[in-house]
Amino acid sequence: MDMLKNLIIIMMTSVLVNNYVLTKFLGICPFLGVSKKTNQAVGMGIAVTFVMLLATAVTWPIQEYVLNAFGLEYLQTIVFILVIAALVQLVEMFLKKSIPALHASLGIYLPLITTNCAVLGVCKNNITDEFGFVESLVSSLGAGLGFLLAMVLFAGVRSRIESSKPPKSFEGVPITLTAAAIVALSFLGFGGIIENLFA
């Protein structure tokens, strides 16, 4: 029961309290670049979630049974980046063959998942937080769902922005960044909820 409670706390914390985009500010490039349309935002969010899960499933055992076992911890970042790059290529090939419309709509942002620091951040933080394998997978799933939630929410906000008439000095990038900051501020409200919920 304690294990289940712990996994629920990790999941909810990853989605809401420690949202990688809105509280840790990792993965901002696709967050701003692919959030103009909801369907693109959902596609990118699902692709990033899938890559986060796969990357964690591969990097955790590599860290535990190769890098730690042979004293090669200093190679962690390089190894993790290579693993993530390979996984993104596999996802890209799969989408190109299976869902060409989504592949075309994601465009350049799909290969950019390779350099999405949120994916690398999740893998490294799971090791830093000393999570076990299952806890790492749950944390990665939560981080991916948090990324998806942030993308969808911001896509909705941007659709409202496009139909509004901001002051001339706020048109374009300034109003987008201001809206992103307000959405990020709203997630600070989740800070004490998780702790009190399971106290």
Side-chain angles (χ1 to χ4, degrees), residues 7-150:
L7 293 177
I8 292 170
I9 290 172
I10 290 171
M11 172 71 81
M12 293 180 72
T13 302
S14 297
V15 173
L16 299 174
V17 180
N18 294 327
N19 188 291
Y20 275 78
V21 178
L22 298 175
T23 61
K24 296 189 178 193
F25 305 108
L26 296 173
I28 296 293
C29 177
F31 175 69
L32 294 175
V34 192
S35 59
K36 290 181 181 177
K37 295 180 181 174
T38 306
N39 61 339
Q40 289 180 356
V42 169
M44 176 57 88
I46 291 170
V48 168
T49 303
F50 184 66
V51 170
M52 281 181 176
L53 273 170
L54 275 180
T56 297
V58 175
T59 56
W60 192 92
I62 288 174
Q63 177 72 39
E64 190 69 20
Y65 301 114
V66 178
L67 300 181
N68 290 349
F70 295 103
L72 300 172
E73 295 89 349
Y74 60 92
L75 293 175
Q76 182 192 64
T77 302
I78 295 169
V79 171
F80 283 16
I81 288 172
L82 290 173
V83 167
I84 292 166
L87 291 173
V88 169
Q89 288 301 311
L90 291 173
V91 170
E92 186 176 7
M93 288 188 296
F94 173 77
L95 287 179
K96 190 173 186 179
K97 187 170 179 75
S98 304
I99 316 170
L102 179 59
H103 180 268
S105 70
L106 292 175
I108 188 65
Y109 293 102
L110 186 58
L112 283 178
I113 294 176
T114 303
T115 58
N116 186 341
C117 50
V119 178
L120 180 61
V122 168
C123 294
K124 288 178 73 73
N125 284 342
N126 287 335
I127 303 300
T128 305
D129 294 338
E130 298 180 355
F131 287 154
F133 185 69
V134 174
E135 292 170 324
S136 295
L137 288 177
V138 170
S139 172
S140 297
L141 179 61
L145 293 176
F147 186 87
L148 174 62
L149 176 66

